Amino acid sequence: MTANTPDAPAADAPTARATTDAPAADAPTARATTAAPAADVPAARATTAASVTVGPSGEPSAASEPAVTGSSAAAPAHEGKTPVHQSDAATGATVETFPAAEASVRTRRGPVALLAPIGSLAVAIGLWYAVSYLLLAPARRFLVPPPHQVLQVAVLDWTHLQPMLQALARTAQVALAGLAIAAVLGITGAVVMSRARWLERSLYPYAVILQTVPILAIVPLIGLWFGFGFTSRVIVCVLIALFPLIANTLFGLQSVDRAHHDLFTLQKASRWDRLRKLELPAALPAIFTGLRTSSGLSVIGAIVGDMFFKQGAPGIGTLLDVYRSRLQSEDLFAAIILASLFGVAVFALFTFLSRLAVGSWHASGRS
């Protein structure tokens, strides 16, 4: 008769597998991780995961806290979006980021960015009305006419608006021609000065002098030397718009990272390749900064040239001088606003071109 032999306890078997792991006393920082099954929540990507740090005494550390890596209940705003998982090497926690949500936040900033200039415009118009009706007596209100009066008399009346637009078109031709010449001379001069230190020391002081000379003092000399027509107006624009292009381009060319220069040196690149493939692309943000600055200055130069060189077809500066002498305040304010809007349009154009040329690798090229 054979007796049934009872099974030996699992603890006596050397190869037995324990169902519950006990914390090891010798491991001061043993980590146990528990995870709830994801089957109970079908829509969840992951459930609650706790990361517990066990100290030498076997007690959980106070710094350890459960980390919710993501669930439909914890983050309903990100439902249906694909997260990007990043692991923290110091704590071992898993962090989820949602690029689509960040993009939507940037999209929501658009209306806010649009409301800011609209609000400032409303404040400016309110101050304009306050000056017209609160600070000026009715007999002196013609000095600062209210906005609606400027709109009725000068803007909505085509007989007043047409000569302004024609004059503005002539001024725009002068400003753009002067800006183009200044861009070529300024960028070329900065490249020449960046080739050698002695060239910079020889030429840069004259650029500074050109910037500091009062333009109104040399305008009569320009008229005597080059006449009182289109050429003299363009020269005034060039003189005013030249220095920002030289200064910004030279700064951009000299600010290229030294490690990039060392890489081109290792590749035995020529000076032309270094300039074309490294220095000029790296200087593009600074060059477009100079172009945006010089665009407004060229408009000012064209208006100054119109006021002094009155031969030929009148520009917007000529009309400003005529309106001032005749006390046509409504037309004067309308002409000033049109000239300012043209300057803003040129500035916005170069800002757009800067974003196209620079791209997203630099802060100035990001929208």
Side-chain angles (χ1 to χ4, degrees):
M1 184 173 181
T2 304
N4 293 332
T5 304
D7 294 336
D12 297 334
T15 60
R17 180 173 299 172
T19 58
T20 303
D21 295 335
D26 297 334
T29 58
R31 178 174 298 171
T33 304
T34 60
D40 296 336
V41 185
R45 289 182 302 273
T47 57
T48 304
S51 177
V52 182
T53 302
V54 181
S57 61
E59 296 296 331
S61 174
S64 302
E65 295 180 357
V68 180
T69 58
S71 64
S72 60
H78 303 314
E79 187 68 30
K81 298 181 175 64
T82 303
V84 176
H85 297 269
Q86 297 178 351
S87 179
D88 191 348
T91 62
T94 302
V95 181
E96 289 185 356
T97 58
F98 294 85
E102 295 175 358
S104 63
V105 171
R106 288 195 298 268
T107 304
R108 287 195 297 268
R109 292 175 185 170
V112 177
L114 185 62
L115 289 176
I118 294 177
S120 61
L121 177 62
V123 172
I125 294 177
L127 292 176
W128 189 350
Y129 272 110
V131 171
S132 298
Y133 286 101
L134 299 179
L135 297 183
L136 294 178
R140 295 173 55 85
R141 193 165 295 160
F142 70 94
L143 297 176
V144 184
H148 69 274
Q149 188 172 340
V150 173
L151 186 66
Q152 289 177 346
V153 174
V155 178
L156 298 181
D157 190 349
W158 181 247
T159 59
H160 289 252
L161 183 61
Q162 182 180 10
M164 294 183 198
L165 295 178
Q166 293 175 349
L168 182 62
R170 302 184 190 101
T171 302
Q173 294 176 1
V174 174
L176 294 178
L179 180 61
I181 296 174
V184 173
L185 295 179
I187 296 174
T188 304
V191 170
V192 171
M193 284 186 277
S194 68
R195 296 302 88 193
R197 181 66 64 180
W198 67 271
L199 287 172
E200 180 184 352
R201 293 175 180 174
S202 301
L203 300 177
Y204 196 78
Y206 293 100
V208 176
I209 292 174
L210 189 65
Q211 176 70 12
T212 56
V213 168
I215 190 64
L216 296 179
I218 63 175
V219 162
L221 295 177
I222 296 174
L224 293 175
W225 295 340
F226 301 99
F228 295 89
F230 182 83
T231 303
S232 295
R233 300 180 188 182
V234 172
I235 291 176
V236 173
C237 291
V238 173
L239 293 179
I240 292 181
L242 185 60
F243 181 77
L245 284 163
I246 295 176
N248 285 277
T249 303
L250 184 61
F251 173 77
L253 293 173
Q254 293 178 344
S255 299
V256 181
D257 189 79
R258 178 55 56 185
H260 297 165
H261 276 293
D262 293 339
L263 179 61
F264 273 71
T265 301
L266 290 175
Q267 297 297 326
K268 298 180 180 180
S270 63
R271 294 173 65 91
W272 168 248
D273 288 337
R274 188 186 300 266
L275 174 66
R276 182 171 58 91
K277 297 181 180 180
L278 174 62
E279 294 176 342
L280 282 178
L284 277 179
I287 292 174
F288 276 99
T289 300
L291 284 171
R292 289 196 296 268
T293 305
S294 297
S295 63
L297 294 177
S298 65
V299 176
I300 296 175
I303 294 175
V304 171
D306 290 337
M307 289 183 174
F308 279 87
F309 309 127
K310 299 181 180 180
Q311 290 184 358
I316 195 69
T318 306
L319 291 186
L320 287 174
D321 195 26
V322 171
Y323 296 151
R324 177 192 57 81
S325 62
R326 296 178 181 177
L327 293 179
Q328 294 177 250
S329 300
E330 293 84 2
D331 294 330
L332 179 63
F333 274 82
I336 292 174
I337 293 173
L338 286 177
S340 301
L341 291 177
F342 171 69
V344 172
V346 177
F347 183 89
L349 173 63
F350 281 104
T351 301
F352 174 73
L353 294 178
S354 173
R355 292 176 178 175
L356 289 181
V358 175
S360 60
W361 66 270
H362 192 268
S364 63
R366 302 189 191 114
S367 57

